[in-house]
Amino acid sequence: SGFINHGQVTLGGNAIDADGFAISENSPTHLMGFRIAHDDLAQSKNGTASELIMIDTAAPTIAEAVGATHEGRDIRGAGFDSFDRLWALDSANDELLQIDVTTGSVLESASLFLGTNAIDITTGTDIAFRPDGSAVISNGDVFYEADLGSKTVMELFDDPSGFHSGLIYEPMSDVLITFEVNGSDDLFEFDSVVNKTLITTPAFSFNAGRVDLSEVVNFQPIPIPATIWFFVTALSGLLLTRRRRN
């Protein structure tokens, strides 16, 4: 219910447009994001270049550039996985990117496939990680579960009336929170059976354009199945017994 307006984000003293925000579990006081450059003559929401930036949460209006500008990329969603790798979504080239947080360089780029077809990534997109480490992507009105290893997606559900450009999960739950920008800029939640509930309409009344959500994900270790635990315990006991006999 509380919203704080920190003011316009600046880079080198100049106001910027930014998107694709992400916070690492290992560095929760530094917000990573991307400056979005535009063709001023086109007056379009689409970006013409992207640049990795870092914002100290103690001074949230001042951004610091990290590395070079990526011409021709429009990075609109980002998130850190359980291995502290930064993944981002480029709507200009319809690609999933892995970004080096120290240099801003692209370590890996690939299309995401639904069956045999690569998906078209819109400017209303984001990537979020559940506490178990699995990835979910919003893409306009469609939500996908993503396998970042195979670069494939599986459709979870759609919301024909929505355009969801921000995405996070409630801590320790399977409840998805989204920021929808098709009209009134509302926050929604979707539960595990895809029931949609309005959380709130933020206090600001202007059209926010493309927005983002980000959170620190406290990843949980995957429990070892009982059968594997029994095998490891039995094997340890066997090795100890043999050592004593020797």
Side-chain angles (χ1 to χ4, degrees):
S1 61
F3 295 90
I4 299 174
N5 183 357
H6 293 286
Q8 179 70 51
V9 177
T10 61
L11 179 63
N14 299 313
I16 62 170
D17 186 13
D19 206 344
F21 289 108
I23 305 178
S24 166
E25 182 182 21
N26 295 321
S27 185
T29 61
H30 291 89
L31 181 68
M32 307 303 295
F34 294 86
R35 176 184 70 89
I36 308 296
H38 298 272
D39 182 348
D40 293 334
L41 298 178
Q43 295 294 309
S44 171
K45 287 187 174 70
N46 297 322
T48 57
S50 295
E51 178 183 21
L52 184 65
I53 58 174
M54 181 176 66
I55 298 174
D56 189 327
T57 55
T61 63
I62 302 173
E64 176 185 342
V66 182
T69 299
H70 298 287
E71 299 293 339
R73 292 200 181 277
D74 190 10
I75 297 177
R76 291 294 180 170
F80 282 94
D81 68 9
S82 58
F83 298 99
D84 208 35
R85 299 175 299 190
L86 179 60
W87 296 93
L89 295 164
D90 174 12
S91 67
N93 299 280
D94 301 320
E95 288 184 334
L96 172 73
L97 311 174
Q98 186 186 341
I99 304 293
D100 188 322
V101 295
T102 60
T103 66
S105 60
V106 176
L107 299 175
E108 183 180 354
S109 62
S111 298
L112 289 169
F113 282 85
L114 177 63
T116 58
N117 299 316
I119 64 172
D120 180 10
I121 299 175
T122 73
T123 56
T125 187
D126 200 9
I127 181 170
F129 291 90
R130 299 187 183 102
D132 66 5
S134 58
V136 171
I137 290 174
S138 63
N139 191 35
D141 61 348
V142 184
F143 296 83
Y144 300 99
E145 183 151 11
D147 185 326
L148 303 186
S150 64
K151 306 301 185 293
T152 58
V153 297
M154 178 183 67
E155 185 172 333
L156 293 174
F157 63 94
D158 66 347
D159 179 34
S161 63
F163 195 74
H164 301 268
S165 65
L167 192 65
I168 58 174
Y169 271 92
E170 280 191 354
M172 301 300 294
S173 80
D174 206 32
V175 174
L176 187 64
I177 298 175
T178 75
F179 206 138
E180 196 278 325
V181 298
N182 187 19
S184 57
D185 301 324
D186 294 319
L187 287 164
F188 289 94
E189 68 178 22
F190 294 86
D191 63 18
S192 58
V193 292
V194 199
N195 289 318
K196 179 181 178 182
T197 305
L198 173 67
I199 299 176
T200 184
T201 299
F204 42 81
S205 59
F206 59 87
N207 187 341
R210 303 295 177 262
V211 303
D212 204 6
L213 295 176
S214 185
E215 68 174 336
V216 175
V217 181
N218 295 312
F219 293 104
Q220 303 301 309
I222 299 174
I224 300 175
T227 52
I228 296 178
W229 176 254
F230 174 78
F231 173 77
V232 172
T233 304
L235 181 62
S236 299
L238 178 61
L239 292 175
L240 183 59
T241 302
R242 286 186 174 181
R243 184 177 180 182
R244 286 175 176 171
R245 288 178 176 175
N246 288 336

